[in-house]
């Protein structure tokens, strides 16, 4: 919190100089100064009887945001803090300060920015950033800490994987937009501090890394209906910067690329690239788009949490609207393949096909349905064994997953009494084939839901009931899950108090043995007072209390009476929160 106070004081000292440097009419002095925001405190209590506690008995969370609007200059500040923050590389306890004036926006504290899916993509950092959008330009830059140094917990070897080097990073993005014709270039670099840890345990297998990634993308409107877009990304990753520098000639994969030599060369450096492009045509009642994406094996950037790689996708996406836009049909058909560099023992090809439809003939009825057929094909290359001769050149393995679902909703009544009925169902089948014979791994899944709701607006009363059904027939386990739900919601005290009571009873069986019914009951109260006469008050308070009781009955004795699934137990969870908005 000390850093938060310092930043806020600097902001107050900085603003007057900005104001004096501007024309007072241009910055909107007539708007004056406005202060808005909110503070939220949330507490969670937990207790269990019959089993060991499955969570902490008490946790609390404090968060808030503050926005200062001074003569049209916005300066939002947000923070979060909890007793469950822990010692993580990305802590829960954070603050963020993002002042903004017209087309200039800055980031201070914990922030996240996105330049490109191939460079910086939403990674949280502690530092500073800026975005400016003058005229047709879009320019952004950032610098900060991506990971903090976390030392080893020598008392618990299971936590060795949580250790990390301190990682700093910077990047920028420059884009130009001329009536829909755009070009964008971005660069991101990150590097670990090898001196941020006092020692490194060999068994932990963590290494200091360095990464630089660049991307170039654009969008071209050939005509008012035809467009072309694409993006190319290139990433260089050094997985251990402690290695001695070596001649670039020893790294065959590094030859002839755009960012060769920007990082120290050694045997742990790798280069990857990625590309996506599409061509589309937008008509008055239809749209057709063809997409292509290729991401090299092991493509990695330290500016993203997770990345799909080693895949090539070719997709066709048509869509039409018929009967005065009451009926919408869309499809997505494509082919996906991995093992692009042919180094794996298996190559998988997947056929992706999906069809979606929505139909709203009038204001009462609404129908929606979809069907998808995901097929994958794996070609296993034989491994040489001097003591075994494989009579098959390859092993072909197919997997097909078919999914279909539909929803029908009927709404009727008037503004005082509103009723609705919804029926939803889905079916999924997964099947495998080895060679040309159908396998035994066949699974069917059925899901059904029927719901009804009745709202009485003058009484601020809503009644709802539903019945859920789920059936799974797999090769080894057949399970059934079903049960009803009932809820009542009522507004009290001139709608300042909202109360809700819900109860659900569900029963599960697996291969004929019951794991024990579960009875859930929840009471929630939400109170938001208003000023006399219904006028909005300067400060708005909102308090919430939720009490949930979950009772698990004993299941069928199958010789596993010590498991949680067959035990009888009760769990209580109490949630409370208070929010003050101003």
């Amino acid at each position: 919190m000390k850093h938060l106070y310092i930043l806020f004081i600097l902001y107050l000292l900085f603003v007057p100089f900005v104001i004096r440097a501007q024309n007072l009419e241009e910055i909107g002095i007539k708007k004056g100064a406005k202060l808005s925001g909110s503070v939220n405190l949330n507490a969670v209590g937990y207790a269990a009887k019959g089993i060991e506690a499955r969570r902490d008995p008490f946790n609390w969370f404090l968060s808030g945001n503050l926005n200062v609007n001074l003569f049209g200059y916005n300066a939002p500040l947000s923070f979060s803090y909890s007793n469950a923050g822990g010692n993580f590389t990305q802590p829960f306890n954070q603050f963020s300060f993002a002042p903004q004036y017209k087309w200039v926006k800055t980031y201070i504290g914990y922030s996240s920015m996105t330049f490109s899916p191939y460079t910086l993509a939403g990674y949280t950092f502690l530092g500073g950033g800026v975005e400016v959008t003058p005229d047709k330009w879009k320019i952004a830059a950032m610098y900060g800490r991506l990971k903090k140094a976390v030392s080893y917990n020598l008392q618990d070897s299971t936590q060795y994987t949580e250790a990390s080097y301190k990682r700093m990073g910077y990047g920028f993005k420059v884009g130009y937009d001329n009536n829909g014709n755009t070009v964008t270039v971005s660069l991101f670099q990150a590097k670990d501090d090898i001196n941020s840890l006092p020692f490194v345990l060999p068994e932990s297998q963590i290494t200091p890394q360095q990464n630089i990634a660049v991307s170039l993308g654009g969008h071209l409107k050939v005509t008012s209906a035809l467009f072309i877009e694409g993006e190319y990304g290139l990433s260089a990753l050094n997985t251990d910067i402690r290695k001695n520098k070596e001649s670039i000639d020893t790294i065959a994969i590094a030859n002839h690329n755009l960012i060769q030599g920007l990082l120290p060369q050694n045997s742990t450096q790798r280069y990857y690239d990625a590309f996506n492009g599409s061509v589309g045509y937008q008509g008055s009642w239809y749209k057709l788009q063809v997409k292509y994406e290729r991401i090299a094996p092991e493509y990695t950037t330290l500016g993203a949490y997770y990345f799909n790689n080693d895949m090539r996708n070719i997709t066709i996406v048509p869509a039409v609207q018929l009967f005065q836009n009451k009926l919408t049909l869309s499809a997505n058909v494509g082919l996906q393949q991995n093992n692009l560099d042919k180094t794996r023992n298996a190559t998988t090809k997947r056929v992706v096909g999906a069809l979606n439809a929505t139909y709203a003939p009038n204001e009462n009825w609404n129908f929606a349905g979809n069907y998808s057929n995901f097929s994958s094909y794996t070609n296993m290359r034989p491994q040489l064994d001097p003591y075994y001769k494989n009579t098959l050149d390859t092993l072909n393995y197919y997997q097909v997953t078919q999914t279909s679902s539909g929803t029908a909703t009927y709404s009727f009544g008037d503004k005082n009494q509103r009723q609705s009925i919804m029926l939803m169902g889905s079916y999924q089948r997964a099947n495998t084939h080895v060679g040309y014979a159908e396998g035994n791994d066949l699974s069917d899944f059925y899901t059904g839901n029927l719901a009804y709701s009745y709202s009485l607006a003058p009484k601020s009363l809503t009644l709802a009931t539903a019945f859920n059904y789920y059936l799974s027939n797999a090769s080894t386990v057949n399970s059934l899950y079903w049960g009803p739900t009932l809820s009542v919601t009522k507004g009290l005290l001139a709608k300042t108090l909202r109360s809700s009571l819900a109860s659900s009873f569900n029963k599960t069986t697996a291969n004929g043995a019951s794991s024990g019914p579960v009875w859930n009951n929840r009471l929630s109260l939400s109170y938001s007072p208003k000023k006399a006469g219904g006028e909005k008050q300067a400060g708005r308070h909102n308090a919430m209390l939720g009490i949930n009781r979950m009772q698990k009955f004993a299941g069928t004795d199958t010789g596993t009476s010590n498991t949680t699934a067959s035990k009888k137990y009760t769990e209580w969870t109490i949630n409370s929160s208070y929010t003050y908005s101003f």
Side-chain angles (χ1 to χ4, degrees):
M1 297 298 291
K2 177 178 69 175
H3 302 289
L4 187 152
Y5 299 141
I6 294 175
L7 289 172
F8 187 68
I9 293 172
L10 290 175
Y11 161 72
L12 293 178
L13 294 175
F14 176 75
V15 166
F17 294 99
V18 176
I19 298 301
R20 285 197 290 268
Q22 302 289 335
N23 184 294
L24 295 181
E25 289 296 329
E26 292 180 357
I27 63 177
I29 191 172
K30 296 180 180 180
K31 296 181 180 179
K34 295 181 181 180
L35 186 68
S36 61
S38 65
V39 178
N40 177 265
L41 177 62
N42 186 282
V44 181
Y46 170 83
K49 181 181 179 182
I51 61 170
E52 294 184 3
R54 298 193 286 183
R55 60 180 299 173
D56 294 335
F58 180 76
N59 281 316
W60 59 267
F61 309 88
L62 177 65
S63 62
N65 62 83
L66 173 69
N67 183 65
V68 181
N69 186 298
L70 189 60
F71 307 116
Y73 181 88
N74 287 316
L77 170 71
S78 63
F79 69 91
S80 59
Y81 194 83
S82 170
N83 67 330
N87 187 26
F88 303 111
T89 59
Q90 293 285 9
F92 175 86
N93 304 326
Q94 301 178 357
F95 69 90
S96 177
F97 186 41
Q100 180 177 1
Y101 177 69
K102 291 188 175 179
W103 44 264
V104 179
K105 184 177 182 179
T106 58
Y107 298 87
I108 302 173
Y110 285 95
S111 308
S112 64
M113 302 175 68
T114 296
F115 294 166
S116 162
Y118 304 134
T119 57
L120 177 65
Y123 203 99
T124 300
F125 63 92
L126 174 61
V130 61
E131 290 180 354
V132 294
T133 55
D135 197 17
K136 299 179 180 181
W137 292 91
K138 295 181 180 180
I139 304 173
M142 60 76 61
Y143 174 80
R145 188 190 73 189
L146 304 171
K147 281 188 175 183
K148 69 176 184 179
V150 178
S151 300
Y152 294 92
N153 183 356
L154 298 179
Q155 298 179 351
D156 188 356
S157 60
T158 62
Q159 297 185 15
Y160 286 176
T161 56
E162 298 178 4
S164 69
Y165 288 94
K166 177 184 177 181
R167 178 175 296 167
M168 302 296 294
Y170 69 87
F172 68 86
K173 178 181 72 172
V174 179
Y176 183 78
D177 187 343
N178 183 19
N179 298 323
N181 296 314
T182 66
V183 59
T184 303
V185 59
S186 68
L187 178 144
F188 171 77
Q189 181 167 355
K191 184 179 181 180
D192 290 341
D193 182 0
I194 60 176
N195 299 315
S196 58
L197 289 180
F199 61 91
V200 176
L201 297 176
E203 58 267 33
S204 68
Q205 298 182 349
I206 68 168
T207 59
Q209 303 182 67
Q210 186 176 5
N211 172 235
I212 182 170
V214 297
S215 72
L216 176 65
H219 179 100
L220 176 63
K221 295 174 62 177
V222 181
T223 66
S224 59
L226 180 64
F227 65 89
I228 301 174
E229 60 185 11
E231 182 176 9
Y232 177 76
L234 183 62
S235 176
L237 178 68
N238 195 325
T239 58
D240 192 347
I241 58 180
R242 298 171 302 181
K243 298 289 185 179
N244 295 328
K245 294 183 179 180
E246 302 174 5
S247 171
I248 193 172
D249 295 333
T250 64
I251 312 173
I253 196 172
N255 293 331
H256 309 296
N257 61 78
L258 297 177
I259 53 178
Q260 176 178 309
L262 294 182
L263 299 182
Q265 305 296 317
N266 62 30
S267 59
T268 64
Q269 186 163 324
R270 298 293 182 267
Y271 290 81
Y272 316 99
D273 67 350
F275 171 78
N276 74 77
S278 67
V279 178
Y281 187 87
Q282 177 70 64
S284 59
W285 54 273
Y286 65 94
K287 178 180 180 180
L288 179 63
Q289 190 171 6
V290 180
K291 300 180 180 180
Y292 175 86
E293 182 177 25
R294 184 190 186 278
I295 303 177
E298 300 183 14
Y299 187 100
T300 303
T301 169
L302 299 183
Y305 290 103
Y306 177 77
F307 216 98
N308 285 319
N309 55 50
D310 191 15
M311 67 176 186
R312 180 174 60 212
N313 294 326
I314 303 175
T315 310
I316 300 177
V317 185
V320 297
Q321 290 183 320
L322 304 172
F323 307 124
Q324 299 179 343
N325 298 331
K326 293 181 179 180
L327 175 63
T328 300
L329 300 174
S330 63
N332 190 319
V333 182
L335 176 65
Q336 184 181 94
Q337 178 181 343
N338 71 346
N339 197 20
L340 302 182
D341 56 2
K342 307 302 180 183
T343 59
R344 299 189 180 189
N345 292 327
T347 299
T348 299
K349 296 181 180 180
R350 170 179 292 183
V351 178
V352 180
L355 175 65
N356 299 279
T358 60
Y359 180 56
N362 52 54
E363 62 180 10
N364 299 108
W365 286 97
N366 189 287
F367 301 91
N370 66 77
Y371 172 81
S372 62
N373 182 355
F374 295 88
S375 304
S376 61
Y377 164 78
T378 302
N379 179 273
M380 301 290 294
R381 293 191 299 178
Q383 298 184 9
L384 298 179
D385 188 333
Y387 302 103
Y388 172 72
K389 183 177 181 180
N390 191 349
T391 57
L392 298 176
D393 292 333
T394 59
L395 174 62
N396 298 326
Y397 179 82
Y398 299 85
Q399 186 176 38
V400 180
T401 301
Q402 300 184 58
T403 302
S404 58
S405 64
T407 303
T409 304
Y410 178 64
S411 303
F412 58 99
D414 52 34
K415 64 179 182 179
N416 292 326
Q417 299 184 40
R418 195 68 180 169
Q419 302 181 65
S420 67
I421 302 174
M422 184 191 73
L423 176 64
M424 185 276 291
S426 67
Y427 168 73
Q428 182 183 75
R429 161 165 284 198
N431 193 13
T432 61
H433 302 263
V434 179
Y436 297 98
E438 182 172 323
N440 296 323
D441 191 10
L442 178 65
S443 301
D444 294 291
F445 306 92
Y446 304 85
T447 302
N449 175 269
L450 177 63
Y452 168 79
S453 67
Y454 173 80
S455 298
L456 189 60
K459 299 293 184 180
S460 187
L461 175 67
T462 300
L463 304 174
T465 183
F467 185 85
N468 301 296
Y469 180 88
Y470 176 80
L471 175 63
S472 170
N473 292 323
S475 58
T476 58
V477 179
N478 296 326
S479 61
L480 173 64
Y481 169 93
W482 60 271
T485 299
L486 177 65
S487 65
V488 180
T489 303
K490 180 73 170 70
L492 304 170
L493 303 179
K495 298 183 181 180
T496 60
L497 177 64
R498 182 178 178 87
S499 61
S500 176
L501 178 63
S503 179
S504 64
F505 182 86
N506 298 294
K507 187 174 181 180
T508 304
T509 59
N511 292 334
S514 173
S515 61
V518 177
W519 188 21
N520 256 306
N521 293 282
R522 178 175 176 81
L523 172 66
S524 62
L525 300 171
S526 177
Y527 180 63
S528 182
K530 296 180 180 180
K531 194 174 181 179
E535 299 178 2
K536 185 178 181 180
Q537 51 188 4
R540 184 172 179 85
H541 306 264
N542 184 276
M544 188 278 293
L545 175 65
I547 303 175
N548 187 86
R549 180 182 184 273
M550 192 273 284
Q551 183 175 358
K552 169 72 167 53
F553 298 92
T556 303
D557 186 7
T558 59
T560 58
S561 58
N562 291 327
T563 64
T564 303
S566 60
K567 279 187 175 181
K568 177 182 179 181
Y569 60 89
T570 304
E571 288 181 308
W572 289 85
T573 305
I574 300 178
N575 291 275
S576 61
S577 68
Y578 169 74
T579 302
Y580 176 70
S581 304
F582 52 92

